[in-house]
Amino acid sequence: MRHIAIIGSGPAGYYTAEAAQKQWGEDVRVDIFDLLPVPYGLIRTGVAPDHQSIKGVSRRYESTAQLDNVRFVGNVTIGEDISIAELRDLYDAVVLATGAPNDKPAGIRGEGLENVFGSASFVGWYNGHPQFAKLNPDLSVRTAVVIGNGNVALDVARMLTKTTAEFTGSDIVGHALHALEKSRIDRVVILGRRGPHQIAMTPKELGELAHLARGCPRVDPADLPAMDEDMFLEPGQRKSVDHLRSFAAIPEEFRCVKPVEIEFDFFASPTAILGEGSVTGLEVERTALDENGRASGTGQTYTIPCGLVVTCIGYKTSPIAGVPFEENAGRFANDEGRILPGLYCVGWARRGPSGTIGTNRPDGFGVIDKIAEDIGSGGGKAGRPGFDALAEARKLDVVTFRDWKKIEAVEEKRARDGAPREKFVDVGEMIKARSD
Ligand code: NAP
């Protein structure tokens, strides 16, 4: 029997559990730990609440979770309730699938001002992550700047623009919906330090901006490269640039009927966030691309007056004491998923915050191949019974998958009309709901 501990119940964690089941069938026991009492990580608190079809992938994880030899061990904090060293003693393999929950800092003056947020906290706020539920952003301002040209920047810009009706069918949490209903924001600037050909936005997500009830995208035609240069792009990127070209061609009279402008400001690198107490502006330097395609400052600066800044410039994994970490890349130091004997990583914790949800599946299967090579026909550590004895001795209040199904049922029952669920945003309330 092999005993595998997976730390993190997001996509990478569940794909790894699925791979372990395919590899060893009845000869493996998998425990999936999470610090929250609820599973699915990024699917629950990262994927945009209006992207329910993407969130639907959790049904696949549920079928893995309900296998007899796979167990959800919620409400357990690694490093506090149990250490990595203890887990390595108990399990034949420990796989860190902890994602990348921390914002990469922009490294500019003013990041600590009020109403300046990283996307981890801002997305966590509208998605009901307990850590960020009380963020309380001030949306009484007129201009928001979203820094970054990736899909998270698009998510944030869309959330700031949608009407209540457009959130029908989403699982945006009540506190965020109410705050957005009262928002006075009528200009969202999406700041990119490079140009239209260098965006990290995918066509479907970019195309959504054209169909917003209140928002209208604006692209300055002067920022677009000559049309014939598009043929050097790979097909997906070409489609994204097609969208930008169509935004640039929107006639002014159509734009006027939509009250919120979503303005792309390309070749613009943030240099300082201005204000005293709260943010009042963003200082930006115009850039040009150097011969390697990198943004290089031109020395020309200007200020965008704004009352809200959200940086969407990537994430970092949380380091764990005693586990080798690559500070620059913001992930665990690893060789194809191997960190130390018996210790592995997968997903964003392995490769950094890139790719789609599906990219984590081959990652999960890859790391299980490595574990299979390393364990061979061995294994046989204490595993589950060992952890259960330790949990009992430490009086840990473990939340099981069955408990989660009860929490889920209460969340579904208290959903507003048309919504799939109203999430609990407080860990205590989640735990209480399992006995409702
Ligand atoms: P991302 O795709 O890596 O984009 C980060 C953006 O931030 C890039 O445009 C980057 O510009 C910019 N940036 C980085 N450092 C900067 C700085 N110091 N100043 C200004 N700009 C800076 O990251 P993400 O948007 O956080 O997304 C993470 C992953 O999740 C991606 O793989 C994404 O596709 C995925 N995701 C997918 C969906 C979806 O499919 N619906 C939704 C959300 C997220 P440079 O290119 O110049 O570095």
Side-chain angles (χ1 to χ4, degrees), residues 104-124:
K104 194 183 108 182
I108 54 175
R109 178 162 51 89
E111 273 190 278
L113 289 171
E114 279 170 38
N115 241 24
V116 177
F117 305 106
S119 51
S121 54
F122 198 78
V123 171

Side-chain angles (χ1 to χ4, degrees), residues 45-326:
T45 57
V47 171
D50 60 340
H51 281 171
Q52 287 299 312
S53 58
I54 300 179
K55 285 187 188 255
V57 73
S58 61
R59 284 190 288 276
R60 180 186 190 121
Y61 308 149
E62 181 162 329
S63 53
T64 301
Q66 286 180 330
L67 294 167
D68 287 342
N69 53 348
V70 175
R71 202 168 70 149
F72 174 67
V73 188
N75 200 35
V76 175
T77 304
I78 308 307
E80 281 179 28
D81 296 323
I82 183 167
S83 69
I84 286 288
E86 288 169 323
L87 284 169
R88 288 174 71 195
D89 280 346
L90 286 172
Y91 291 85
D92 300 308
V94 176
V95 184
L96 303 175
T98 47
N102 309 303
D103 287 302
K104 194 183 108 182
I108 54 175
R109 178 162 51 89
E111 273 190 278
L113 289 171
E114 279 170 38
N115 241 24
V116 177
F117 305 106
S119 51
S121 54
F122 198 78
V123 171
W125 169 71
Y126 61 63
N127 251 333
H129 192 296
Q131 194 184 343
F132 305 113
K134 294 199 164 58
L135 200 71
N136 199 21
D138 178 4
L139 305 181
S140 67
V141 302
R142 303 294 295 269
T143 300
V145 179
V146 178
I147 302 176
N149 269 182
N151 281 330
V152 173
L154 284 178
D155 283 348
V156 169
R158 200 176 64 251
M159 291 302 114
L160 288 173
T161 313
K162 276 199 162 181
T163 61
T164 303
E166 287 175 294
F167 281 118
T168 305
S170 82
D171 66 352
I172 186 168
V173 286
H175 64 233
L177 185 61
H178 296 142
L180 288 164
E181 275 167 352
K182 288 188 269 168
S183 165
R184 295 185 62 225
I185 292 169
D186 58 9
R187 183 176 177 229
V188 179
V189 180
I190 302 180
L191 204 75
R193 62 181 172 182
R194 297 192 290 158
H197 273 193
Q198 288 76 36
I199 56 171
M201 298 161 165
T202 43
K204 181 180 159 292
E205 284 64 29
L206 201 47
E208 285 177 75
L209 294 193
H211 305 289
L212 295 170
R214 291 194 314 141
C216 188
R218 178 190 284 275
V219 169
D220 182 348
D223 284 337
L224 291 163
M227 185 87 98
D228 54 6
E229 290 180 31
D230 289 3
M231 67 185 176
F232 300 112
L233 300 172
E234 57 90 17
Q237 191 73 343
R238 204 179 312 144
K239 278 191 200 154
S240 292
V241 174
D242 284 347
H243 283 301
L244 294 177
R245 291 192 185 281
S246 69
F247 299 163
I250 295 173
E252 208 54 42
E253 54 277 21
F254 177 74
R255 190 180 301 287
C256 294
V257 298
K258 300 220 181 175
V260 184
E261 182 124 286
I262 305 173
E263 186 183 320
F264 285 82
D265 194 352
F266 290 112
F267 304 108
S269 181
T271 49
I273 303 173
L274 310 174
E276 282 175 25
S278 233
V279 52
T280 54
L282 184 73
E283 186 187 89
V284 176
E285 181 175 16
R286 207 31 94 216
T287 64
L289 294 185
D290 66 17
E291 63 280 7
N292 299 313
R294 284 191 298 249
S296 162
T298 61
Q300 184 201 339
T301 60
Y302 58 99
T303 297
I304 305 172
C306 61
L308 171 69
V309 171
V310 185
T311 61
C312 305
I313 59 172
Y315 300 106
K316 292 168 83 162
T317 295
S318 299
I320 298 176
V323 180
F325 194 74
E326 283 175 13

